Amino acid sequence: AQSVAQPEDQVNVAEGNPLTVKCTYSVSGNPYLFWYVQYPNRGLQFLLKYITGDNLVKGSYGFEAEFNKSQTSFHLKKPSALVSDSALYFCAVRDSTDNQGGKLIFGQGTELSVKP
Amino acid sequence: DTGVSQDPRHKITKRGQNVTFRCDPISEHNRLYWYRQTLGQGPEFLTYFQNEAQLEKSRLLSDRFSAERPKGSFSTLEIQRTEQGDSAMYLCASSAFGGGGETQYFGPGTRLLVL
């Protein structure tokens, strides 16, 4: 069965410092991995995805993520955090061998708080 | 703005009433998804359509829930005989089929409160 784990409910960083939001996954085949951000009372906004190729993926707003197959991880990173990055972040996975091919499986989310 | 719209944005209803939500996807997207998100949790898959065909339904989608996409454009999600446990944010997403790695774009959601 597919699953995603975000081991930290909350991450606190100071503005200007690097940030990391952790994600690990479990799928039967090769994973398609996604990061989304959610601001209060809003839907999910796509940040970046890994499908194949280079393990380092760059996305919106200066975010990047590194796919690590041996550790089954896809951690989200940003070199210098902004207060406006404060939000709820979700990691999601789809199994490439899922023939029905529709659903994303989401983690429970990590609340990122960036203090000035 | 992702381009997916949902209506209404908020709905308060009494237990036992029926409610219907609408989702308008990005116009060229042939796949449409419904998810449910409760407080403190990630979204959970409910069902999805490719054009007008409903291809997968989660076991979360009880008999009280029904979804349609009659002309392959907008979709409706109806909940009959609502229960307090149905209180959640209902999210709609759409994508253009691209072999599995396509991005799903989400709407703003409909927040349902069942009293």
Side-chain angles (χ1 to χ4, degrees):
Chain A
Q2 305 169 54
S3 66
V4 175
Q6 294 181 240
E8 300 157 317
D9 290 337
Q10 186 160 9
V11 170
N12 298 307
V13 298
E15 187 174 32
N17 283 2
L19 69 86
T20 299
V21 182
K22 296 179 180 177
C23 171
T24 58
Y25 67 89
S26 175
V27 296
S28 300
N30 292 319
Y32 299 138
L33 292 155
F34 302 79
W35 275 103
Y36 287 85
V37 60
Q38 186 175 35
Y39 296 97
N41 299 313
R42 302 284 296 275
L44 276 68
Q45 185 174 336
F46 170 71
L47 282 178
L48 51 79
K49 67 181 178 183
Y50 171 82
I51 304 301
T52 187
D54 194 347
N55 289 344
L56 184 63
V57 178
K58 295 186 183 296
S60 307
Y61 313 117
F63 284 94
E64 59 188 28
E66 186 166 13
F67 171 63
N68 187 317
K69 188 172 183 177
S70 63
Q71 297 185 2
T72 62
S73 66
F74 189 57
H75 301 330
L76 182 70
K77 300 181 180 183
K78 187 173 182 181
S80 179
L82 300 173
V83 172
S84 57
D85 292 330
S86 298
L88 190 56
Y89 289 80
F90 290 99
C91 181
V93 68
R94 178 189 297 146
D95 191 333
S96 64
T97 62
D98 179 1
N99 291 329
Q100 292 180 297
K103 61 182 177 290
L104 290 175
I105 304 299
F106 285 86
Q108 75 274 22
T110 298
E111 184 81 40
L112 174 66
S113 178
V114 182
K115 300 295 186 186
Chain B
D1 186 18
T2 63
V4 178
S5 61
Q6 293 186 245
D7 185 70
R9 294 290 305 276
H10 300 90
K11 179 71 176 179
I12 300 174
T13 191
K14 293 182 179 179
R15 189 175 54 186
Q17 298 295 304
N18 298 345
V19 295
T20 300
F21 309 142
R22 177 181 169 121
C23 172
D24 287 87
I26 294 171
S27 59
E28 62 269 26
H29 285 180
N30 58 351
R31 286 193 165 186
L32 186 148
Y33 311 80
W34 286 99
Y35 292 83
R36 181 171 68 187
Q37 184 181 21
T38 53
L39 202 61
Q41 300 296 319
E44 295 176 293
F45 171 78
L46 292 177
T47 188
Y48 94 96
F49 294 84
Q50 181 159 308
N51 300 314
E52 66 275 9
Q54 190 173 18
L55 296 187
E56 188 177 357
K57 293 194 292 186
S58 163
R59 62 179 182 274
L60 292 175
L61 212 65
S62 75
D63 291 344
R64 297 185 298 105
F65 287 71
S66 62
E68 295 182 341
R69 194 182 184 199
K71 296 183 179 179
S73 56
F74 73 92
S75 175
T76 58
L77 178 68
E78 181 183 17
I79 309 174
Q80 296 182 326
R81 305 181 303 280
T82 53
E83 302 173 355
Q84 288 183 326
D86 297 331
S87 296
M89 173 81 90
Y90 290 84
L91 294 166
C92 176
S94 71
S95 72
F97 177 64
E102 64 272 15
T103 300
Q104 294 182 22
Y105 294 93
F106 283 80
T110 294
R111 185 171 293 282
L112 172 66
L113 178 61
V114 182
L115 301 176

